[in-house]
Amino acid sequence: MEKPPTSFWDQLTGLLVPKREQQTNSTVKNERILAELIRCFEASLNRESIGTSILFDAHFVIILHPTSYAERLAALPVIVNEAVKAFYDRIATRKKGTDRIVTVASHWHFKFGPGTEFDGRTISPADVEVVGSLTGAALENDSLSNTPVGGNLKATRKVKNTNVYQKLDVNLPSFSHIDFRESGAFAVRMDPALFNNPEEDAPKLQMPKAAEVTAPPQQSASASVALAAPQPVPARSEQPAVVQQQPAALARIDCFIADQNTDETYWMHDREVVIARREPDNEAFANYIRLVSPYVSNPHARIRYSEAEGQFQLASFSQHETRLNEKVVARSEPSSPVWVPLPSPSQILLNGIVTLSFQSTL
């Protein structure tokens, strides 16, 4: 039973603001975001699959009111993790012995962003706007900035004023005012077992164990950006480490750039290296690890080996989030770095997009 207003101001608020409006001002909850992601995926699964080929959206844009976005930010990795688990469950239910999985992506991509309006629709704190797409090329901010006015993207989206997801034209310029280059971006490597030859599949699809939010540091950089993919099988991890080591190097840094879907390996020869976005002004520095990604700052972080401490250390300079083994690293100034211990092995996540897997060779 609803508690009646007890004070003059409560009664006055009840008269000026309708009850329905008061109720809808509450922020969206984690379960609601997860449910909308699952429903969007199921709609694409039913709409895109054809014959014995199971096809589905792998890129998702989730727009929340700025208040809800700030409140849910810490829970986003868990929501993504649960969504991926649910996606695998739906695929397992759908897949029969002769079916095959088809996708145009190698990773599940999720982009969360704050906004008060999208494509002519007002977003309140209680709203969730989910857009799913087979390919995410048109969803990148750089692409949107060059998109002519009126450009559309075929995407899975909820029809206005209904609970039905359909494939609709989404106005691409409507994304341009929403910044997805914060910590609300995730990429999770798809389980390679999904794409086995149907003739070699077991009678029942064996699902991997649930992905863990805290990725084991020893995983390859190609395993995930923010989360651990279910039982990743990176090719290079099968090679003996002694073959890939360089005697003069202090450490090996494997880099996975999710927005480019590329892997790179760097060897730390200097006592201190700088991690930065590749720019003309840093091309001359030998101790720079230059990454081709707009999600990396210039400079973003530094790694050093402290002989006095007998350990590797990390400092972060970016306004965007830097995580070390899932813990946020406090930002400091390049002229006065604040160092934190860097264990070996470790996983460093830059801006939710670029993953560095650090391994000492000492």
Side-chain angles (χ1 to χ4, degrees):
M1 182 174 180
E2 184 177 347
K3 184 179 179 181
T6 57
S7 68
F8 169 77
W9 292 111
D10 290 339
Q11 296 178 30
L12 182 60
T13 301
L15 291 174
L16 297 178
V17 183
K19 288 184 179 180
R20 181 174 298 178
E21 184 176 340
Q22 295 180 51
Q23 294 172 354
T24 57
N25 281 338
S26 60
T27 56
V28 68
K29 303 304 179 185
N30 296 336
E31 289 291 344
R32 170 79 186 289
I33 301 173
L34 175 61
E36 293 295 341
L37 274 168
I38 294 173
R39 289 173 56 198
C40 185
F41 173 78
E42 288 178 333
S44 72
L45 188 64
N46 294 331
R47 186 171 296 275
E48 302 295 348
S49 297
I50 178 172
T52 59
S53 296
I54 299 177
L55 183 61
F56 43 79
D57 289 346
H59 292 76
F60 298 90
V61 167
I62 307 94
I63 305 169
L64 305 171
H65 187 274
T67 302
S68 299
Y69 178 81
E71 186 179 277
R72 297 295 105 199
L73 187 59
L76 296 185
V78 182
I79 294 173
V80 168
N81 189 52
E82 292 296 322
V84 171
K85 288 162 54 180
F87 294 171
Y88 284 126
D89 289 341
R90 268 57 177 185
I91 294 173
T93 302
R94 177 75 177 249
K95 189 176 187 296
K96 298 180 177 59
T98 58
D99 291 340
R100 65 191 184 100
I101 308 299
V102 180
T103 178
V104 296
S106 61
H107 289 72
W108 305 101
H109 291 267
F110 301 84
K111 284 190 172 186
F112 294 82
T116 56
E117 181 272 334
F118 175 70
D119 208 20
R121 296 169 57 174
T122 300
I123 299 177
S124 74
D127 290 334
V128 182
E129 187 78 34
V130 178
V131 177
S133 175
L134 290 173
T135 173
L139 299 179
E140 300 293 340
N141 268 9
D142 290 343
S143 300
L144 294 173
S145 62
N146 298 322
T147 303
V149 176
N152 292 328
L153 166 71
K154 289 286 186 181
T156 304
R157 184 187 177 196
K158 183 186 289 185
V159 181
K160 188 176 182 179
N161 297 327
T162 73
N163 290 321
V164 179
Y165 275 91
Q166 294 184 358
K167 191 158 189 178
L168 301 173
D169 287 334
V170 176
N171 189 13
L172 287 179
S174 63
F175 288 97
S176 59
H177 67 289
I178 300 171
D179 187 5
F180 296 103
R181 295 184 182 178
E182 297 296 334
S183 54
F186 306 90
V188 184
R189 185 170 181 247
M190 290 185 180
D191 179 18
L194 283 177
F195 311 103
N196 289 343
N197 190 315
E199 297 178 357
E200 300 175 356
D201 285 345
K204 182 179 180 181
L205 178 64
Q206 299 296 320
M207 296 308 299
K209 296 181 180 179
E212 298 295 333
V213 175
T214 55
Q218 67 269 21
Q219 284 184 317
S220 166
S222 63
S224 75
V225 170
L227 314 172
Q231 298 182 353
V233 189
R236 63 168 174 252
S237 65
E238 299 174 357
Q239 300 180 10
V242 66
V243 176
Q244 298 187 5
Q245 285 186 355
Q246 294 185 358
L250 301 175
R252 169 177 172 157
I253 303 173
D254 292 313
C255 174
F256 173 62
I257 305 178
D259 59 308
Q260 309 288 337
N261 195 24
T262 58
D263 292 274
E264 300 173 2
T265 297
Y266 299 90
W267 296 94
M268 181 175 173
H269 295 280
D270 298 284
R271 293 288 175 178
E272 184 172 318
V273 295
V274 179
I275 302 167
R277 180 179 65 250
R278 181 181 292 276
E279 296 289 352
D281 63 1
N282 60 35
E283 290 287 349
F285 300 111
N287 68 328
Y288 265 58
I289 295 178
R290 287 172 282 271
L291 304 177
V292 183
S293 173
Y295 298 92
V296 177
S297 302
N298 180 33
H300 198 112
R302 276 156 61 184
I303 296 175
R304 77 172 184 180
Y305 179 72
S306 172
E307 293 185 348
E309 301 290 339
Q311 65 178 0
F312 287 91
Q313 298 174 328
L314 171 71
S316 175
F317 313 123
S318 176
Q319 294 182 353
H320 301 299
E321 188 178 80
T322 300
R323 285 179 176 264
L324 172 59
N325 297 329
E326 295 301 325
K327 294 183 179 180
V328 177
V329 179
R331 178 181 178 273
S332 58
E333 294 297 328
S335 59
S336 182
V338 176
W339 299 99
V340 298
L342 177 59
S344 176
S346 284
Q347 184 185 78
I348 305 168
L349 182 64
L350 310 179
N351 199 7
I353 292 294
V354 178
T355 301
L356 304 178
S357 292
F358 174 85
Q359 175 72 57
S360 170
T361 58
L362 296 179

